[in-house]
Amino acid sequence: IGQNFSANLGGFSNLNTNESIDSSELSFEMRMTTQATASIRLPNNLFKAVLNVTNNTRITHAVFLSDSLFLRRDSNDLEVGGIIISASVVGYNSIESLDPPVSISFLKNPSINGSGPLCSFWNPNLDDGYGDWSSDGCRIDESYKDTQDYVTCFCDHLTSFSILLD
């Protein structure tokens, strides 16, 4: 079994205002939980893609409650529709071509009335190094229906992930 990480936020209400988030509203678990705001499951063969693995090789996770650190010059009418969750292996800039892929689940932000979620990751090399969201190597779970509150994505690499809504 691969590594799991889940982030739970009491709700999206404070994310849509200028109010600060009370840390008691956040919780993190190293396992997949149902009804999590965002979860990421790393494949059990992750370290086959990493050279020179030692007992000290570490995986880091981060959760961003807004996209304020992921500035785009052109939004293309697509809005970040969930929190941003990331995973990386310390000391490795890029881990790609994972098979099976990373599984990421998101609760859609109910205040965004968008449709057609697009599984995306932040690519700092796009837009002449300014950065933008990309869906390359990511796909949505084929069983997803637009009426569902949760979206599951599969991506073949590690980075910062979210969903974009039209």
Side-chain angles (χ1 to χ4, degrees):
I1 294 178
Q3 187 189 58
N4 303 306
F5 177 75
S6 295
N8 295 304
L9 177 63
F12 279 98
S13 60
N14 286 344
L15 294 180
N16 303 317
T17 67
N18 290 328
E19 295 178 38
S20 62
I21 301 290
D22 181 352
S23 62
S24 66
E25 295 181 65
L26 287 170
S27 66
F28 302 97
E29 298 191 33
M30 294 306 292
R31 61 184 175 88
M32 295 295 272
T33 60
T34 58
Q35 307 300 315
T37 309
S39 295
I40 188 165
R41 175 175 289 169
L42 305 178
N44 58 1
N45 65 346
L46 171 67
F47 287 119
K48 289 181 181 175
V50 178
L51 300 176
N52 304 320
V53 173
T54 69
N55 287 339
N56 295 327
T57 302
R58 291 175 290 176
I59 297 171
T60 61
H61 297 282
V63 173
F64 302 91
L65 302 179
S66 79
D67 63 348
S68 62
L69 295 176
F70 302 87
L71 299 177
R72 298 180 284 171
R73 288 196 272 193
D74 181 18
S75 68
N76 297 331
D77 296 325
L78 296 175
E79 202 169 346
V80 174
I83 66 173
I84 300 163
I85 190 167
S86 71
S88 62
V89 177
V90 174
Y92 291 86
N93 289 335
S94 177
I95 296 181
E96 300 173 340
S97 303
L98 294 173
D99 186 22
V102 176
S103 172
I104 315 108
S105 296
F106 299 96
L107 173 64
K108 292 191 302 187
N109 186 334
S111 70
I112 299 174
N113 292 324
S115 63
L118 180 65
C119 297
S120 303
F121 70 96
W122 183 254
N123 185 338
N125 299 317
L126 292 179
D127 196 9
D128 296 322
Y130 195 76
D132 204 348
W133 293 98
S134 172
S135 61
D136 292 346
C138 293
R139 62 182 168 79
I140 193 166
D141 183 345
E142 294 175 5
S143 67
Y144 172 77
K145 305 286 186 255
D146 226 15
T147 56
Q148 291 175 291
D149 293 334
Y150 284 88
V151 177
T152 299
C153 300
F154 301 103
C155 297
D156 67 1
H157 55 278
L158 299 183
T159 188
S160 297
F161 302 99
S162 193
I163 52 171
L164 300 180
L165 298 175
D166 191 0

